[in-house]
Amino acid sequence: MLCGGGVGLASSFAVAALASWMPWAGANALITVASTLLATELHARFTFGAGGRATWRQHAQSAGSAAAAYAVTCVAMLVLQQLAAAPGAVLEQVVYLSASALAGAARFAVLRLVVFARNRSQGAATVHTARAVRATVACAAAPASPAVLCRTA
């Protein structure tokens, strides 16, 4: 939550600042690209324990979920514009942050279940295999008496 939420919160301020110089949809697109790159790296290194930098494949998969999040935030802001003729900056931030939080929760699920799922299952398989090898070695070195074998089993 710290990585995704922190990037999302910083993004909301960046979008608001950038939107004062260019159309909101363009500002949102630029910030979405930059924040997706940053968040994917942070998630790879810290959140999902991928063990280093995100791969190009993980960035590409993350970009797909970011495109959906971009659509959600744009639709939310379009709905706001239809409902309020001149919404204030605070209302815009509330709507944008709410839509971002919803999209962020969905993106987290996609990242956890799809993008970084392979790394976690490979790591679990490695640990499981290492334990099985150690157990086999311990059994092979154990004396053959039935009492010892029962305790070991």
Side-chain angles (χ1 to χ4, degrees):
M1 182 163 168
L2 184 62
C3 292
V7 170
L9 192 58
S11 295
S12 71
F13 291 109
V15 167
L18 204 55
S20 65
W21 295 331
M22 62 188 311
W24 188 89
N28 190 23
L30 286 174
I31 296 303
T32 297
V33 169
S35 66
T36 299
L37 290 170
L38 176 61
T40 301
E41 282 296 324
L42 290 173
H43 286 314
R45 291 172 190 238
F46 304 111
T47 307
F48 300 113
R53 295 185 53 108
T55 64
W56 285 107
R57 181 180 183 147
Q58 290 166 333
H59 276 293
Q61 289 173 329
S62 182
S65 66
Y70 172 77
V72 167
T73 55
C74 283
V75 167
M77 295 305 284
L78 286 173
V79 168
L80 174 63
Q81 294 298 321
Q82 295 300 313
L83 295 176
V90 173
L91 182 57
E92 285 181 340
Q93 282 292 79
V94 167
V95 169
Y96 178 80
L97 283 172
S98 298
S100 291
L102 221 103
R107 283 194 70 221
F108 180 84
V110 168
L111 291 172
R112 181 178 198 100
L113 298 173
V114 178
V115 177
F116 293 101
R118 174 187 267 190
N119 290 339
R120 211 174 38 254
S121 65
Q122 285 175 348
T126 302
V127 169
H128 184 330
T129 303
R131 286 184 185 154
V133 169
R134 271 190 247 128
T136 303
V137 171
C139 287
S145 80
V148 173
L149 287 176
C150 287
R151 276 183 291 173
T152 305

